[in-house]
Amino acid sequence: EVMLVESGGGLVQPGGSLRLSCGASGFTFSNYAMSWVRQAPGKGLEWVAVVTSGGDTSHGDSVKGRFTISRDNAKNTLYLQMNSLKPDDTAVYYCAKDTTGGMDEWGKGTLVTVSA
């Protein structure tokens, strides 16, 4: 059974930092690209970043230069380092397993709230 478990969310002040983690099990983690996707209150899903199986990364325009996606294949863990957080970054953050057909497995999410 595939499991993706996010952690690291919480309340942070504007300008602060958080690091999200996503523990993966039930599949060969190193073989797959992995993504972070977020959903702000009352809004749709927004893709945040992806890291390929080879370690190449891409970030959405709204987070570029502030967020960094990474992975540790030895630990089967995906990360999202978030710096210079803004209130607009408030959302539930999900990690997802990527395939050529799209994101086929999702975690339950972790809530990030950016507020003074």
Side-chain angles (χ1 to χ4, degrees), residues 62-97:
S62 63
V63 306
K64 201 170 293 184
R66 300 187 299 121
F67 291 11
T68 303
I69 190 171
S70 64
R71 66 191 300 160
D72 185 336
N73 289 337
K75 295 183 178 180
N76 286 352
T77 302
L78 177 72
Y79 300 103
L80 185 68
Q81 178 66 44
M82 305 187 296
N83 299 329
S84 302
L85 282 160
K86 306 174 182 179
D88 284 350
D89 295 318
T90 294
V92 177
Y93 285 74
Y94 300 92
C95 66
K97 172 175 163 281

Side-chain angles (χ1 to χ4, degrees), residues 3-26:
M3 289 187 67
L4 297 170
V5 181
E6 301 93 339
S7 61
L11 175 64
V12 61
Q13 292 187 341
S17 297
L18 279 177
R19 188 176 81 155
L20 305 184
S21 300
C22 172
S25 61

Side-chain angles (χ1 to χ4, degrees), residues 14-37:
S17 297
L18 279 177
R19 188 176 81 155
L20 305 184
S21 300
C22 172
S25 61
F27 65 104
T28 306
F29 179 74
S30 60
N31 285 357
Y32 290 89
M34 297 292 296
S35 284
W36 286 100
V37 179

